[in-house]
Amino acid sequence: MNKLLELLCGLLSGIALFAIMALTFFDVIGRKALANSIPGSLELTELLMVVVIFAALPLVSRRGEHVEFDSLDPFLPLWVRRLQTVLVHLLCAVVLLGLAWLMWRTGGQFAEAHETTAQLQIPKYPFIYGMAVLCGLTGLVHLALLREKPHDRFEGEGAAL
């Protein structure tokens, strides 16, 4: 399951990031060489950024690569750090699953109202549904992490500063 998660989310995020790079490159070339930028390039970049961020979220959570404040960890007993890990994963799961539910509802409202982007008239609801699915998936990742035995991090591992 981890391999599938890494493949699908990594591919989705990577393709979107490459598309942003290519779009920006050709937009700048168009502006400098032809005095004409790509119409709607800002809108496309914003939508692609949504894809990059939300597709990478399950991977970042699975790998434990979020930014964390761990300066007090050496002074806390092991049982406190383990309890903290469990509580953080539980809180993240509840918040992300709740956010997924709210986004799914919002996506439905946007679909009914036929909400689109201002310039290119791209429907917004597929992106909001995608955000909901990826937030829900990230919440499930945090629930899965609850089942794993907490381990101690060593200096330089994860997000240590």
Side-chain angles (χ1 to χ4, degrees), residues 7 21 37 47 56 58 65 68 79 81 92 97 101 107 115 120-121 131 136 143:
L7 175 70
M21 180 191 66
S37 69
L47 293 173
E65 294 178 343
E68 14 181 273
W79 70 270
R81 290 189 306 227
C92 285
L97 290 170
W101 176 71
E115 288 277 340
L120 297 177
Q121 302 297 306
M131 291 164 57
L143 287 177

Side-chain angles (χ1 to χ4, degrees), residues 81-96:
R81 290 189 306 227
R82 288 185 174 167
L83 177 64
Q84 177 187 26
T85 299
V86 168
L87 291 175
V88 165
H89 284 310
L90 189 59
L91 179 64
C92 285
V94 168
V95 168
L96 285 162

